[in-house]
């Protein structure tokens, strides 16, 4: 039972444009949400997070938006760079355990 | 910087073999986790541990066991490997039980079971 869902498994975007990744969740008890980035042959690395009591968190080119009523969060990358080409995983925390989505492949075209 | 080291990047084993995957972290983290990553399924939690000699089942523990004899080391054991355990295995750690969920991952161990 997938509690964290990432649809549209792949995204291609031109360098300099915005990348938007979406994530939906089903469990209203999640209290913290995170995005991880993964390059091939490497482990995922933490990118950005947001508490359930907030609706936006920004860190440089990365912004995460949370819409609790819709159980939806999104990651915006502006401007996109070729080095952003990776798989992005959405994760949600409950009871100190993380549930991950399936991941989104992002390809940034130079 | 936190370093999580997985002993083997690539392994090839035969069905029925016993497989050990080792993970060591160097930042005195209390929590350690084992995930597997499969295409189209994302990361799924196998087992985790909040302390030495302590372990808890994750979402898919069947066919696996773990060992945490020392704080820095968390081992994943496949008692009798099967082909459906062919996967990328990822070890991760966090500082303590009250944390933000920010996991530090190792580089992964790609296991192929023939």
């Amino acid at each position: 039972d997938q509690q964290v869902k990432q649809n549209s498994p792949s995204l291609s975007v031109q360098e300099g444009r915005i990348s938007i990744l979406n994530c939906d969740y089903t469990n209203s008890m999640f209290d913290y949400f995170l995005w991880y980035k993964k390059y091939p042959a490497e482990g995922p690395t933490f990118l950005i997070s947001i508490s359930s009591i907030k609706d936006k968190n920004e860190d440089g080119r990365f912004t995460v938006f949370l819409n609790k009523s819709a159980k939806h969060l999104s990651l915006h990358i502006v401007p996109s760079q070729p080095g952003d080409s990776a798989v992005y995983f959405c994760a949600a925390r409950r009871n100190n355990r993380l549930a991950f989505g399936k991941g989104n492949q992002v390809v940034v075209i130079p | 910087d936190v370093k999580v080291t997985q002993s083997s990047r690539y392994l090839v084993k035969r069905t029925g073999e016993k497989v050990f995957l080792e993970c060591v972290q160097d930042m005195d983290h209390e929590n350690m986790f084992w995930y597997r990553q499969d295409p189209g399924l994302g990361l799924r939690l196998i087992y985790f541990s909040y302390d030495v000699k302590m372990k808890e089942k994750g979402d898919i523990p069947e066919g696996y066991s773990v060992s945490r004899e020392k704080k820095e080391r968390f081992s994943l054991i496949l008692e009798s490997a099967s082909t459906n355990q062919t996967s990328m295995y990822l070890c991760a750690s966090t500082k303590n039980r009250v944390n933000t969920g920010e996991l530090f991952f190792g580089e992964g161990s790609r296991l192929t079971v023939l």
Side-chain angles (χ1 to χ4, degrees):
Chain A
D1 184 22
Q2 196 82 17
Q3 296 187 72
V4 178
K5 300 177 182 179
Q6 294 179 256
N7 296 320
S8 306
S10 65
L11 170 71
S12 291
V13 63
Q14 204 72 33
E15 181 179 3
R17 306 292 289 268
I18 185 171
S19 295
I20 299 176
L21 301 172
N22 294 302
C23 178
D24 296 293
Y25 61 94
T26 58
N27 193 333
S28 59
M29 300 300 291
F30 288 134
D31 65 351
Y32 206 81
F33 302 89
L34 307 95
W35 286 94
Y36 284 82
K37 177 180 178 179
K38 185 181 184 300
Y39 293 118
E42 294 184 14
T45 55
F46 168 74
L47 189 59
I48 192 169
S49 62
I50 187 167
S51 166
S52 61
I53 62 173
K54 296 187 175 182
D55 56 18
K56 178 182 175 181
N57 187 27
E58 189 173 352
D59 183 3
R61 296 185 296 114
F62 303 92
T63 303
V64 56
F65 297 92
L66 176 63
N67 182 335
K68 282 188 69 177
S69 61
K71 294 190 178 69
H72 176 84
L73 66 156
S74 61
L75 174 67
H76 292 209
I77 307 173
V78 181
S80 299
Q81 299 175 354
D84 297 330
S85 297
V87 175
Y88 291 79
F89 291 97
C90 173
R93 185 186 75 176
R94 177 172 179 253
N95 295 334
N96 213 36
R97 290 172 58 162
L98 293 186
F100 284 85
K102 296 179 181 181
N104 288 130
Q105 173 73 58
V106 172
V107 175
V108 180
I109 303 163
Chain B
D1 281 351
V2 174
K3 189 163 179 63
V4 179
T5 304
Q6 295 183 227
S7 56
S8 303
R9 294 296 304 274
Y10 301 94
L11 302 94
V12 179
K13 298 292 182 181
R14 296 204 174 274
T15 301
E17 279 192 78
K18 190 169 186 176
V19 182
F20 292 87
L21 299 179
E22 305 284 344
C23 175
V24 177
Q25 49 90 8
D26 65 359
M27 284 300 290
D28 202 35
H29 283 181
E30 294 181 2
N31 300 351
M32 296 188 76
F33 306 81
W34 275 105
Y35 287 87
R36 63 178 282 178
Q37 181 197 357
D38 300 288
L41 295 175
L43 278 70
R44 295 180 291 166
L45 181 63
I46 305 170
Y47 266 96
F48 59 104
S49 169
Y50 289 139
D51 203 351
V52 175
K53 296 192 185 295
M54 176 272 173
K55 61 184 178 183
E56 287 195 31
K57 293 180 179 179
D59 300 318
I60 51 164
E62 296 79 19
Y64 303 94
S65 62
V66 289
S67 172
R68 186 128 183 240
E69 295 296 320
K70 294 184 178 182
K71 190 175 184 180
E72 67 272 17
R73 187 180 297 270
F74 192 36
S75 303
L76 180 69
I77 303 155
L78 289 67
E79 293 289 342
S80 177
S82 62
T83 54
N84 63 13
Q85 292 178 309
T86 291
S87 186
M88 169 70 84
Y89 290 88
L90 292 162
C91 176
S93 71
T94 59
K95 182 169 177 56
N96 53 42
R97 208 159 187 163
V98 181
N99 69 85
T100 59
E102 180 183 336
L103 299 176
F104 293 87
F105 282 91
E107 292 186 318
S109 299
R110 182 163 294 281
L111 172 66
T112 301
V113 182
L114 302 175

